[in-house]
Amino acid sequence: CRDAVFTTRLSRSELVSAVLPAPEVVMGWYTRPDGRLKPLSQCPEAIFAADDQMALAVMDTLRHRLGLRIPEQVSVVGFDDAPQAAALSYSLTTYAQPLPEMIDAVLQLLGQQWSPTASGRAGRSRGEAVILSGALVVRQSTRPVRAP
């Protein structure tokens, strides 16, 4: 689900259409081994991994197997702000999710669903969208976008 949403949003992004070439999407399963790069048609400007574990594995592959320099040759961005992302050996730029707020929102929704209604039954939820803001944590794995 996360892959499909990310791919759809990325393809509709004004940034991508105005500044960057069409993205090449490679799917993984959010594990460190899935971060090992599959063959790409060319060296990308940047790689955005769906989570930090895959981004760290991408960085290892870029550096040690392909001999590329991060961020001079390829920028790498992760998602989740895992503790390893801040390690000096990686210094991964990532997007931090607001975990405490996410937990509070889930607990609130569960409380509403499980609370008895006027009829004495627990309420049913059809689903509710909750929008929370995370934060981009810029570290040393990215450089400014080059003009086309």
Side-chain angles (χ1 to χ4, degrees):
C1 180
R2 189 194 263 189
D3 287 337
V5 171
F6 174 73
T7 303
T8 301
R9 298 280 178 142
L10 186 63
S11 66
R12 293 180 187 163
S13 168
E14 290 179 19
L15 172 67
V16 170
S17 62
V19 179
L20 302 173
E24 185 169 345
V25 177
V26 178
M27 299 298 184
W29 293 101
Y30 307 102
T31 64
R32 194 165 174 100
D34 280 331
R36 295 187 195 116
L37 289 176
K38 279 65 171 183
L40 299 171
S41 59
Q42 61 182 356
C43 183
E45 288 278 325
I47 295 174
F48 183 93
D51 75 353
D52 287 348
Q53 293 304 314
M54 289 182 9
L56 299 176
V58 163
M59 292 176 80
D60 287 342
T61 300
L62 290 171
R63 289 176 178 157
H64 306 298
R65 285 193 16 220
L66 302 177
L68 297 173
R69 293 184 323 277
I70 301 166
E72 294 85 357
Q73 292 175 288
V74 181
S75 290
V76 179
V77 179
F79 189 88
D80 289 332
D81 198 23
Q84 302 92 328
L88 290 177
S89 58
Y90 292 105
S91 194
L92 175 66
T93 295
T94 185
Y95 188 82
Q97 297 183 76
L99 289 178
E101 292 87 351
M102 290 167 66
I103 293 168
D104 290 344
V106 167
L107 292 174
Q108 182 178 8
L109 291 171
L110 287 173
Q112 291 170 2
Q113 186 173 0
W114 291 340
S115 296
T117 62
S119 66
R121 295 183 184 165
R124 286 197 166 184
S125 174
R126 290 186 175 184
E128 182 175 334
V130 177
I131 299 173
L132 302 170
S133 295
L136 180 64
V137 180
V138 179
R139 296 192 178 105
Q140 302 300 313
S141 67
T142 54
R143 60 173 158 61
V145 176
R146 295 182 208 153

